Amino acid sequence: MTQPPAGTSGEKPGLSRGLDRVLRTALFLVPFGVLGNLALSWFATDHDKLRELGRPDLRYLYLALFLALFPWVTNTLRLLIWARFIGHRVSFRDMFRVTLGAELSSSVFPTSSGGEVFRWGMMVQKGIPQGHAASIVTLGYIEDMAFFLVAIPVSVFLSRAWELPVLASMGRELQGQALVVIGIGIAAVLVVRLLFAAVLRGTLGQRPRAKGLRFTARLKRKFRRTWQDFRSVHRLVIRRGKSRFLLTFLITAVQWSCRYSVVTALAFFLGARVDPVLFFLLQWVIFTAMMFIPTPGATGGAEAAFYLVYEALLPAGLIGIATAGWRMLTFYVQLALGSIIFLAFNIADARTRARRRREAGGEAP
């Protein structure tokens, strides 16, 4: 099932333009987000309580930063393992760029949209067939689901989380919002379906009908080819990929443990001694709640959810700086650093393409 080397000649125009827009939006959002976090930290923090802390242990802050950024590495390794297992000779740099592109896109779009479309599109751009790329994305979903099916019940049991009234109130709110989101999604699908059916019937004219029929035929061909690739990959994983799935499952466990432990390291930095298992579980609750917040990167709603959940669990007067610090580490630092790295990759690739064109021009007779 070996494939030819992934292409590196350049990005597809549509994807490239989309990534450029994401990058510009990300760079635009960072200053405003940082200023907002500084304002929240200043007005919601008891400055007398902050002075009582003395000199906090900076090692916990460095640990929190490491825990926030290390998931980039684990996510890249997961993509790399499956891409090479299928037979694509991609590099760590290729998959790291895919990871960054997905992270940036999920930061400037509503969290529910995720970065899967960009992850899939960038893998296709690297020469991975559409079905194979879809399989890699799906395997990531399965790994995440398998981990949380184990981790969440264990966390609930060890932390006795059912005793927290804030979780019950958040559950009721999320249930109501989930019904609204599902209702809107179903209504949107029905509207699109009815409109497309009208186009194919010729209700809107023969020219739109002809374009609709051509589009449908192309879509069916692509879907058939993608589905065949998708099925072949999953049969291969079931037959020969069980050990790799175990490896990626362990990497997945490290990834989510790091991401959901940032707040614990931050709490220790602020002088609070907390239950890491409970704080892991509460991070899962917050990141799940962010899926129902329609703002880019769940801006505003993420801070409100954190404040609501942790207000009674962190030292009085420090919830403001804790909220701002958590959001800074898990969002704005990643957004700023990821944008810079991604921009550096773009510049390096542009220089490589320019050099190759010059070399090709010099070799021409």
Side-chain angles (χ1 to χ4, degrees):
M1 203 167 176
T2 303
Q3 299 292 329
T8 57
S9 58
E11 294 176 348
K12 295 182 179 180
L15 178 62
S16 180
R17 286 194 297 269
L19 290 171
D20 287 341
R21 284 196 295 269
V22 166
L23 188 59
R24 287 195 299 269
T25 305
L27 291 173
F28 175 78
L29 285 176
V30 169
F32 293 99
V34 171
L35 289 174
N37 271 261
L38 290 175
L40 173 64
S41 176
W42 177 263
F43 290 109
T45 299
D46 185 338
H47 298 279
D48 292 332
K49 183 67 177 179
L50 190 60
R51 281 190 289 269
E52 291 175 6
L53 290 177
R55 296 188 62 182
D57 192 341
L58 290 177
R59 290 176 298 179
Y60 289 117
L61 184 60
Y62 299 146
L63 175 61
L65 182 60
F66 171 80
L67 293 173
L69 297 178
F70 192 67
W72 285 354
V73 177
T74 56
N75 212 345
T76 301
L77 287 174
R78 292 166 63 186
L79 296 176
L80 185 65
I81 288 170
W82 287 122
R84 289 189 174 178
F85 171 73
I86 296 171
H88 299 284
R89 295 194 294 273
V90 291
S91 66
F92 183 90
R93 181 183 184 276
D94 291 333
M95 294 297 100
F96 185 58
R97 190 176 183 189
V98 170
T99 297
L100 286 183
E103 290 286 339
L104 290 175
S105 64
S106 63
S107 297
V108 300
F109 292 110
T111 306
S112 58
S113 64
E116 285 73 20
V117 173
F118 277 90
R119 186 179 289 116
W120 172 84
M122 292 185 70
M123 283 192 285
V124 171
Q125 176 262 319
K126 291 297 179 184
I128 299 177
Q130 294 179 5
H132 292 183
S135 296
I136 295 172
V137 172
T138 304
L139 285 167
Y141 274 125
I142 296 173
E143 292 158 0
D144 291 340
M145 188 182 304
F147 171 70
F148 285 119
L149 284 175
V150 175
I152 298 307
V154 171
S155 300
V156 170
F157 175 77
L158 294 178
S159 65
R160 301 176 63 87
W162 58 84
E163 298 178 356
L164 293 177
V166 67
L167 289 184
S169 63
M170 281 196 70
R172 289 191 295 269
E173 291 187 19
L174 285 178
Q175 184 179 11
Q177 292 189 28
L179 292 176
V180 172
V181 171
I182 293 172
I184 293 174
I186 293 174
V189 170
L190 289 175
V191 169
V192 172
R193 184 180 179 86
L194 291 172
L195 180 61
F196 196 66
V199 170
L200 294 182
R201 286 196 305 267
T203 305
L204 303 180
Q206 290 304 311
R207 188 172 179 181
R209 180 175 182 271
K211 289 184 178 180
L213 291 172
R214 287 196 298 270
F215 172 78
T216 303
R218 287 197 304 268
L219 188 64
K220 286 182 178 179
R221 287 195 299 270
K222 286 185 177 181
F223 179 79
R224 192 180 302 114
R225 186 167 56 249
T226 298
W227 177 246
Q228 291 171 351
D229 290 342
F230 184 87
R231 290 179 59 189
S232 66
V233 168
H234 282 75
R235 283 198 298 265
L236 182 65
V237 171
I238 293 172
R239 191 169 64 248
R240 294 197 295 110
K242 296 183 182 66
S243 60
R244 283 178 176 80
F245 185 84
L246 177 60
L247 174 60
T248 55
F249 175 81
L250 295 175
I251 295 174
T252 301
V254 172
Q255 175 178 320
W256 290 109
S257 297
C258 287
R259 178 162 291 177
Y260 287 176
S261 297
V262 173
V263 65
T264 299
L266 184 62
F268 274 73
F269 170 70
L270 294 175
R273 295 299 178 261
V274 299
D275 180 356
V277 177
L278 176 61
F279 272 41
F280 170 92
L281 176 64
L282 294 177
Q283 284 290 278
W284 174 79
V285 171
I286 290 174
F287 277 92
T288 301
M290 289 165 58
M291 298 289 292
F292 302 100
I293 299 171
T295 57
T299 301
E303 290 85 347
F306 185 95
Y307 195 101
L308 175 66
V309 170
Y310 287 98
E311 184 179 14
L313 300 174
L314 290 170
L318 294 181
I319 185 62
I321 193 170
T323 304
W326 168 78
R327 188 60 168 163
M328 191 77 70
L329 289 169
T330 60
F331 187 75
Y332 291 110
V333 168
Q334 295 183 11
L335 188 59
L337 183 60
S339 299
I340 293 170
I341 296 174
F342 202 85
L343 182 62
F345 281 159
N346 284 347
I347 294 173
D349 289 346
R351 289 176 176 174
T352 299
R353 289 193 296 269
R355 186 179 68 251
R356 287 176 179 174
R357 285 196 296 269
R358 287 196 302 269
E359 291 173 353
E363 293 173 359

